[in-house]
Amino acid sequence: MSSSFDSARVAVIGGGPAGLMAAEALASQGVQVDVYDAMPSVGRKFLMAGKGGMNITHSESLEPFLGRYGARRAQLAPLVKAFDPEALRAWLHGLGVETFVGSSGRVFPTDMKAAPMLRAWLHRLREAGVRFHMRHKWVGWDAAAGGDAATHTLRFATPGGEQALSFDAVVFALGGASWPRLGSDAAWVPLMASREVPVTPLLPANCGFDADWSPYLRERFAGQPVKPVAIALTGVDNKVHNRQGEILLTETGLEGSLIYALSAVIRDRIVADGAATIALDLVPGLPLERVVAEVTRPRGSRSMSTHLHGRIGIGGVKLALLHEILSKEAFADADRLAHAIKALPVRLTRARPVAEAISTAGGIPFEALDGHLMIERLPGAFCAGEMLDWEAPTGGYLLTACFASGLAAGRGAAAYLATLARLKARDASA
Ligand SMILES: Cc1cc2nc3c(=O)[nH]c(=O)nc-3n(C[C@H](O)[C@H](O)[C@H](O)COP(=O)(O)OP(=O)(O)OC[C@H]3O[C@@H](n4cnc5c(N)ncnc54)[C@H](O)[C@@H]3O)c2cc1C
């Protein structure tokens, strides 16, 4: 069957969830799509995200869901509304993947795995005619190629040497800068900059932070979870954040789900002030008055540590943190100690490098794009996924926005090609 796209040459560069969704959107409209990826196989970060449970989206209602995109809520709302968590789950079911809602409201495939889902998806994409070109790293535009402004002649580094290929439309879905060994190494940043496409600096998101631990704490307690615990801190916008959860003491500082959830606030505080001091509540289930009452009770000949363990169950890594941060005098002063147990100041000095982070903040700002995610400076070039300037906590919000923006960019590219085809037909008949 012939279509108005018969002669269109379309590339999707980057085979993560955003790129694959863009390819599916294009193929579903009859466009012949070629997917290029630098790695030997697609979806490597997606598979990594599936380790320990593939959390694909979240079941909370749309309003709080959209709120997770913070400052970029307005830009992501139309994209996510067009492919919301319900639609995403229905799409998964169409791939033969059943889902369930976990106790936290997070949505997972029933088998918790990413690999079967990716296999089924790639099979469906190949059936739809999508062609895959692995070990093709996009390394820039071909300056020597002339052509009209709407043609993108792109250079790829391949095992057989460099190739220049021309396309009518391109969807870039190159990911952020985290876990570069999985393919998203952010080498696209200077390439976009060379075309005067603005790029907000890439920063770690959902990341751990450094603290200046003593060798004793590091050697004895690194790798231990601290739970339950609550963190309070004030953001640069003076908003007070207070959340309960679980953290992990690491060799260099702190990480874990609660730290990730607050990582944007902590990171921005460090950027503004050089450090961020969080207040750890080591017994979030007990009110301050009760802690003061318990800790200041006469303890006879018992040591303070034994007393704390007996009265409020503090021991192990929590006790070690108190010793680490409080002076001997403060630890021996029951009233000061009780207050510190409810608000232990921990100074975080630096975000861990973006390469270690779960995701990336920064990227191509929406202000540089039109409503279809086309780069205004580069007609016919669209972008999607984590390379766009937004961030979100873990909980399925990252993948949801990658899928939704991939779909929008793919649909945008198809609409752009349809317009090109109409213009060509009009010129031919003129
Ligand atoms: C450990 C870990 C756990 C995670 N867990 C979750 C989770 O539970 N839930 C959730 O929602 N999200 C999770 N994420 C985040 C999620 O995996 C990412 O947000 C998502 O994969 C980003 O999709 P993307 O398509 O934008 O980019 P990517 O998945 O990074 O894909 C980009 C693709 O582009 C290719 N590429 C890059 N540069 C070039 C180039 N120059 N030429 C050709 N190809 C190139 C790469 O090889 C890669 O295949 C997790 C991430 C990590 C690291």
Side-chain angles (χ1 to χ4, degrees):
M1 191 183 78
S2 76
S3 79
S4 57
F5 300 122
D6 271 353
S7 60
R9 297 154 303 168
V10 185
V12 171
I13 310 179
L20 295 179
M21 192 52 102
E24 183 157 89
L26 280 153
S28 74
Q29 301 207 23
V31 182
Q32 172 64 59
V33 189
D34 287 278
V35 175
Y36 297 85
D37 199 292
M39 300 299 281
S41 59
V42 295
R44 293 192 168 208
K45 190 179 282 184
F46 182 68
L47 291 174
M48 176 57 73
K51 280 205 170 168
M54 163 98 288
N55 173 208
I56 202 109
T57 189
H58 202 286
S59 63
E60 70 188 354
S61 59
L62 205 52
E63 269 316 299
F65 190 105
L66 294 173
R68 308 290 175 182
Y69 298 108
R72 290 308 197 177
R73 182 192 186 288
Q75 287 85 2
L76 281 163
L79 310 181
V80 173
K81 281 181 180 167
F83 195 61
D84 66 14
E86 273 309 307
L88 175 47
R89 291 180 74 183
W91 174 83
L92 281 167
H93 297 169
L95 277 176
V97 177
E98 295 302 318
T99 56
F100 75 98
V101 179
S103 55
S104 59
R106 295 174 180 219
V107 176
F108 302 89
T110 309
D111 64 2
M112 302 289 277
K113 292 184 182 144
M117 189 207 134
L118 183 62
R119 252 195 320 272
W121 194 11
L122 292 176
H123 177 73
R124 190 164 82 183
L125 288 169
R126 286 197 182 96
E127 293 278 289
V130 176
R131 297 185 293 218
F132 290 89
H133 309 269
M134 296 299 98
R135 296 190 169 94
H136 276 63
K137 180 166 184 151
W138 172 57
V139 290
W141 280 269
D142 187 1
D148 58 274
T151 304
H152 298 269
T153 303
L154 306 179
R155 291 188 293 115
F156 292 89
T158 78
E162 204 170 287
Q163 285 182 18
L165 300 167
S166 294
F167 304 99
D168 301 301
V170 188
V171 177
F172 292 103
L174 303 167
S178 78
W179 291 60
R181 67 191 162 84
L182 302 178
S184 50
D185 61 3
W188 57 266
V189 172
L191 303 180
M192 287 291 172
S194 75
R195 283 290 169 119
E196 291 172 38
V197 177
V199 182
T200 308
L202 304 188
L203 293 174
N206 295 300
C207 57
F209 291 88
D210 288 343
D212 290 328
W213 298 146
S214 64
Y216 174 80
L217 191 75
R218 192 180 313 136
E219 280 153 27
R220 298 287 296 272
F221 293 96
Q224 295 212 13
V226 188
K227 60 177 182 178
V229 75
I231 293 178
L233 89 151
T234 307
V236 283
D237 54 0
N238 282 326
K239 204 170 142 203
V240 178
H241 299 260
N242 201 331
R243 288 177 78 134
Q244 188 175 328
E246 191 172 323
I247 63 179
L248 188 75
L249 197 140
T250 66
E251 291 228 340
T252 56
L254 294 175
E255 61 175 51
S257 55
L258 181 57
I259 293 286
Y260 298 158
L262 292 167
S263 61
V265 187
I266 300 171
R267 181 198 66 214
D268 292 350
R269 191 89 250 184
I270 293 175
V271 169
D273 303 340
T277 300
I278 58 172
L280 281 188
D281 180 348
L282 299 174
V283 285
L286 298 179
L288 176 63
E289 310 71 57
R290 167 92 189 279
V291 175
V292 172
E294 295 291 348
V295 178
T296 56
R297 262 174 203 251
R299 60 185 161 97
S301 59
R302 294 200 302 175
S303 72
M304 184 60 94
S305 301
T306 311
H307 180 63
L308 285 183
H309 196 252
R311 303 293 340 161
I312 54 172
I314 283 205
V317 64
K318 288 186 176 178
L319 184 65
L321 274 167
L322 288 168
H323 279 299
E324 173 83 4
I325 287 159
L326 299 180
S327 65
K328 277 204 171 65
E329 298 70 44
F331 191 85
D333 177 333
D335 190 59
R336 279 173 75 186
L337 178 58
H339 281 84
I341 287 168
K342 289 298 286 175
L344 185 67
V346 179
R347 191 166 176 273
L348 301 174
T349 52
R350 205 172 20 193
R352 294 298 303 159
V354 66
E356 292 176 22
I358 286 184
S359 61
T360 309
I364 298 184
F366 288 88
E367 290 73 13
L369 310 172
D370 74 5
H372 301 286
L373 305 185
M374 186 172 84
I375 302 171
E376 283 184 335
R377 292 193 64 84
L378 303 174
F382 296 75
C383 45
E386 222 180 285
M387 69 184 293
L388 298 177
D389 179 13
W390 57 275
E391 65 178 309
T394 56
Y397 308 103
L398 296 164
L399 283 172
T400 304
C402 289
F403 285 123
S405 60
L407 182 66
R411 285 180 176 163
Y416 173 84
L417 290 170
T419 307
L420 276 191
R422 268 198 307 276
L423 291 176
K424 270 189 196 159
R426 194 195 59 192
D427 291 351
S429 65

